[in-house]
Amino acid sequence: MESEESALSVEVGGIVVHQEHLNAADQAELVEQVRRVVRAAPLFRPETRSGKAMSVRMTSAGAFGWTSGRDGYRYARQHPNGQEWPPMPQIALDIWRSLSGVPCDPQSCLINFYDADAKMGLHQDRDEADFDMPVVSVSLGDEALFRVGGSERGGKTQSIWLKSGDVAVMGGDARLNFHGIDRIRAGSSTLLPNGGRINLTMRVVE
Ligand code: SIN
Ligand code: FE2
């Protein structure tokens, strides 16, 4: 990947969004790298804590991935099929290295696939050991309405449309801010032939 400065970065509720961080060629290459992960570690539909099927489909790459089951949400070293997760997409790793601001590499890259009707309720990312380590989130494909609140549930929120190639960094005081995806704007991107959105989130877990 060529290193290139973001055209623009904006802050929403303390989360920094580097808009158009990835150019079209790198977006297409990252999609290829995600396909490789999905071939080795197929997408599955996790359950929420209350036992309902989530609308996103999910898989992971790196040392740890996210699974859900009767014992709740957790990081695990294996896909539900018992195999280790595949290596992290190189372009995602390069993005982490250029934008995370920390000297260590991520241990997990969660891959969420949103179809036109998928969404994700407001939540905090707090299953990691060290909240000084940011979460770096990459958007590919259709635009998504991203809502950001504060660190307490029920506070004021702000929203921004995340577009293909945008990278959001949740760090510092915003690391524990509530966030979620209200909806997908179907047909807003031609990156994925069948539409939809891919989101990759990288984290240091331990
Ligand atoms: C997440 O919070 O895990 C995903 C956020 C996104 O899809 O942009
Ligand atoms: Fe999250």
Side-chain angles (χ1 to χ4, degrees), residues 112 114 120 123 137 162 179 181 197 199 203:
N112 290 318
Y114 294 76
M120 188 174 291
H123 66 277
S137 157
L162 294 178
H179 59 278
I181 297 292
R197 171 174 186 259
N199 171 256
R203 300 178 179 80

Side-chain angles (χ1 to χ4, degrees), residues 19 67 152 178 192 201:
Q19 296 179 312
T67 62
E152 308 282 338
F178 278 86
L192 305 174
T201 45

Side-chain angles (χ1 to χ4, degrees), residues 3-199:
S3 77
E4 84 185 31
E5 281 306 306
S6 292
L8 192 60
S9 76
V10 295
E11 208 183 298
V12 186
I15 293 176
V16 181
V17 180
H18 300 266
Q19 296 179 312
E20 299 174 43
H21 182 74
L22 279 187
N23 65 30
D26 287 338
Q27 290 175 41
E29 177 57 25
L30 181 52
V31 170
E32 272 318 302
Q33 295 179 1
V34 167
R35 286 191 209 289
R36 249 172 266 154
V37 170
V38 170
R39 277 197 291 271
L43 292 167
F44 58 94
R45 204 179 285 279
E47 289 180 357
T48 64
R49 286 184 211 276
S50 58
K52 274 185 17 195
M54 287 179 71
S55 56
V56 298
R57 286 178 293 150
M58 191 178 283
T59 190
S60 297
F64 292 93
W66 195 240
T67 62
S68 75
R70 252 160 296 168
D71 50 347
Y73 276 158
R74 60 192 175 86
Y75 282 107
R77 289 186 176 272
Q78 282 109 23
H79 186 276
N81 71 9
Q83 301 209 5
E84 288 189 356
W85 305 102
M88 221 173 274
Q90 184 61 45
I91 290 182
L93 194 54
D94 292 341
I95 293 169
W96 172 279
R97 288 174 179 165
S98 60
L99 295 182
S100 70
V102 296
C104 48
D105 278 342
Q107 296 171 307
S108 175
C109 176
L110 233 72
I111 299 171
N112 290 318
F113 179 78
Y114 294 76
D115 63 22
D117 302 319
K119 51 189 175 221
M120 188 174 291
L122 280 175
H123 66 277
Q124 288 173 299
D125 286 15
R126 51 177 320 142
D127 292 273
E128 301 76 30
D130 184 355
F131 299 138
D132 289 338
M133 296 289 139
V135 176
V136 174
S137 157
V138 185
S139 292
L140 294 170
D142 283 340
E143 295 169 18
L145 188 58
F146 183 57
R147 183 191 292 267
V148 183
S151 57
E152 308 282 338
R153 189 177 280 285
K156 249 186 19 211
T157 65
Q158 286 175 269
S159 296
I160 184 174
W161 282 97
L162 294 178
K163 299 195 170 81
S164 196
D166 290 355
V167 179
V169 179
M170 300 184 245
D173 291 343
R175 174 63 175 76
L176 291 174
N177 282 3
F178 278 86
H179 59 278
I181 297 292
D182 284 345
R183 61 193 168 89
I184 301 298
R185 193 182 258 160
S188 51
S189 164
T190 55
L191 183 67
L192 305 174
N194 299 320
R197 171 174 186 259
I198 295 169
N199 171 256

